Amino acid sequence: GFKLLWKRTDLGDLQVTSVAVTTDNVLVETSRREVLGLTKDEGKLDWIFEFEQLLDRQPLLTGNGIYVVSADILYFIQEPALGVYDWRRPLPFAVSTTPIEYGTDHLVLGATNGRINLYNRKHKFAAWHILCLGAVREPLALSGKGTLLFSTDNGYLYNLNLATQKYAWRFSKILREVSSAPVLDRRGDRPMVIVGTKDQYLIGVDYAGGTIPKV
């Protein structure tokens, strides 16, 4: 039922690390610190953008341009075909997640040093951070009005209200060690946050209270 529109077999020894799609291009991140812009209809090379460091996360595509994270540097590129970035800012932390948009002016980034960071992309500075236990896992999940769900590498699950900068709840690893990103299931009368664990369990945590319902 699917038709192959095109394929590229001439990338040589390039290792593709992530792929994203814009209105006009397929963005291909590679292991050689570069992003290839391929035409979406034919797969032809439209442009190449090179960075100083290896790329760690998938680009964030917004209506204004592209945000790219490389180690502890945040880039903004409005017209990648020009081959230059509009600005770059060193960050006071090593990023562990792909940035996500929050509102019109902010990005949310997780860090390896156990922090959730809110970055003001309009004024280009870190607005605030909040501590958590362990490096933040990829990906972050923004659900509802300012509700951020995420897990950490030491097996904790968090529900953070970005507007108040306070945790609604924290689910600990006392029962099982969390090993996957959370997924919010809104079906039914009792929304659930579903996560996987290292010992091969799926756990449904009550979205409102951060507890496991008795079933």
Side-chain angles (χ1 to χ4, degrees):
F2 294 97
K3 180 181 178 181
L4 181 64
L5 296 179
W6 53 265
K7 65 178 181 179
R8 292 295 301 261
T9 59
D10 57 346
L11 297 180
D13 60 350
L14 284 183
Q15 179 183 353
V16 175
T17 56
S18 74
V19 178
V21 179
T22 68
T23 303
D24 302 315
N25 293 112
V26 177
L27 306 185
V28 180
E29 282 192 7
T30 75
S31 56
R32 287 208 307 228
R33 310 189 315 274
E34 59 189 10
V35 176
L36 311 180
L38 308 179
T39 60
K40 194 160 59 173
D41 295 332
E42 298 178 320
K44 294 182 178 180
L45 182 62
D46 202 2
W47 48 263
I48 298 178
F49 198 102
E50 297 184 357
F51 294 86
E52 302 127 308
Q53 301 175 351
L54 290 175
L55 304 175
D56 301 318
R57 308 294 160 193
Q58 188 174 4
L60 171 64
L61 312 176
T62 70
N64 298 324
I66 303 171
Y67 290 89
V68 179
V69 173
S70 174
D72 57 354
I73 299 176
L74 179 66
Y75 298 87
F76 175 70
I77 309 160
Q78 194 165 23
E79 295 290 342
L82 298 178
V84 293
Y85 47 78
D86 293 74
W87 53 261
R88 67 189 286 278
R89 289 292 185 276
L91 299 171
F93 51 85
V95 180
S96 63
T97 66
T98 298
I100 62 173
E101 290 184 276
Y102 171 57
T104 56
D105 295 332
H106 294 93
L107 302 176
V108 183
L109 306 101
T112 59
N113 61 351
R115 293 182 177 184
I116 289 291
N117 301 272
L118 194 71
Y119 187 85
N120 189 309
R121 59 181 182 176
K122 182 178 180 180
H123 299 293
K124 307 179 187 63
F125 73 97
W128 55 260
H129 71 265
I130 188 169
L131 296 176
C132 54
L133 298 175
V136 182
R137 286 184 181 275
E138 178 89 90
L140 303 172
L142 190 61
S143 59
K145 296 182 179 180
T147 299
L148 185 73
L149 300 170
F150 67 95
S151 59
T152 56
D153 64 357
N154 61 347
Y156 283 80
L157 176 66
Y158 292 87
N159 180 327
L160 171 63
N161 187 315
L162 293 175
T164 63
Q165 304 174 30
K166 294 181 179 180
Y167 289 111
W169 49 260
R170 182 185 75 188
F171 179 76
S172 74
K173 61 182 182 181
I174 294 174
L175 180 63
R176 305 289 179 191
E177 187 170 356
V178 176
S179 63
S180 74
V183 175
L184 177 59
D185 183 1
R186 294 183 178 276
R187 296 174 298 176
D189 299 330
R190 197 171 192 176
M192 305 286 291
V193 180
I194 301 173
V195 292
T197 70
K198 284 187 176 180
D199 49 359
Q200 301 175 340
Y201 278 79
L202 280 177
I203 293 179
V205 180
D206 180 62
Y207 175 61
T211 58
I212 297 181
K214 293 181 179 181
V215 294

